[in-house]
């Protein structure tokens, strides 16, 4: 029964209720880092790590510290502090292990701290009353959905970057916004799965 529920969480959070294309959270890195697939995949991996780990820590802090002390109203501030600490950890790890990826992500890596997708997933876990396994599954699968969307967008942008058939007026930002809108429409097709 638990595996079936976790499977439903996987499909619904990664594809049907995709944080970027359905809930419109995390658009800044989605539009800013999706210029090439390598950088997009690196950002996706960083977001997967941060959202999954923050889902664990925020659930533990909420259920074992905030709720028993009656400090539920502090959840947003505490969650932001936990996310900021995790992003700093990711930043230090990337700086040591992959300087090229660290440099290519540039300002968007610290922006994971303010990426509303990370905070949105942590708050959704609390609001939906998920237990720890469901919170971790929801966090991982939401981040996986973010990664799928950003890598797909990067692949499409790479193909359309030097395309001569696109009118000049649509090149750049208009084309990116149009592509992201079409991707959002395409992802609504997954709604019939569950």
């Amino acid at each position: 029964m638990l595996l079936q529920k976790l499977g439903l969480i996987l499909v619904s959070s990664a594809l049907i209720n995709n944080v970027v294309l359905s809930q419109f959270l995390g658009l800044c890195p989605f539009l800013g880092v999706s210029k090439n697939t390598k950088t997009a995949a690196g950002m996706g991996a960083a977001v997967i790590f941060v959202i999954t780990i923050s889902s664990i820590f925020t659930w533990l802090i909420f259920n074992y510290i905030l709720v028993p002390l009656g400090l539920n109203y502090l959840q947003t501030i505490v969650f932001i502090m936990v996310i900021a600490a995790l992003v700093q950890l990711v930043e230090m790890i990337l700086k040591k292990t992959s300087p090229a990826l660290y440099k290519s992500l540039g300002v968007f890596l610290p922006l994971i701290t303010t990426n509303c997708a990370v905070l949105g997933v942590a708050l959704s876990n609390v609001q939906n009353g998920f237990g720890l396994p469901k919170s971790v599954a929801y966090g991982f699968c939401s981040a996986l959905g973010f990664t799928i969307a950003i890598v797909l967008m990067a692949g499409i942008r790479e193909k359309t970057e030097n395309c001569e058939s696109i009118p000049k007026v649509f090149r750049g930002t208009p084309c990116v916004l149009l592509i992201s809108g079409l991707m959002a429409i395409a992802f609504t097709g997954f709604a019939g799965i569950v």
Side-chain angles (χ1 to χ4, degrees), residues 32-113:
V33 182
S34 62
K35 292 182 181 171
N36 73 37
T37 52
K38 191 172 186 179
T39 306
M43 175 59 99
V47 168
I48 287 174
F49 177 79
V50 170
I51 288 182
T52 304
I53 300 301
S54 70
S55 293
I56 295 169
F57 283 115
T58 55
W59 187 89
L60 291 171
I61 289 169
F62 181 78
N63 287 294
Y64 290 112
I65 297 173
L66 297 180
V67 170
L69 296 175
L71 300 173
N72 301 11
Y73 59 90
L74 292 176
Q75 70 185 10
T76 304
I77 295 169
V78 171
F79 290 178
I80 290 171
M81 290 183 347
V82 168
I83 292 164
L86 289 170
V87 169
Q88 290 300 312
L89 178 67
V90 168
E91 197 169 354
M92 290 186 301
I93 290 170
L94 280 179
K95 195 172 189 177
K96 290 287 184 190
T97 60
S98 181
L101 180 60
Y102 173 78
K103 192 172 185 176
S104 67
L105 289 174
V107 71
F108 292 101
L109 189 56
L111 282 177
I112 295 176
T113 303

Side-chain angles (χ1 to χ4, degrees), residues 135-188:
S135 292
V136 174
Y138 181 74
F140 175 78
C141 295
S142 294
L144 182 65
F146 175 87
T147 304
I148 290 168
I150 197 169
V151 170
L152 283 174
M153 175 62 112
I156 294 169
R157 284 181 76 173
E158 284 178 351
K159 296 288 184 188
T160 60
E161 187 174 318
N162 297 321
C163 185
E164 295 297 325
S165 62
I166 297 175
K168 280 188 178 184
V169 77
F170 284 119
R171 291 186 189 162
T173 304
C175 186
V176 171
L177 293 174
L178 186 62
I179 292 168
S180 61
L182 292 173
M183 285 177 62
I185 291 170
F187 269 63
T188 60

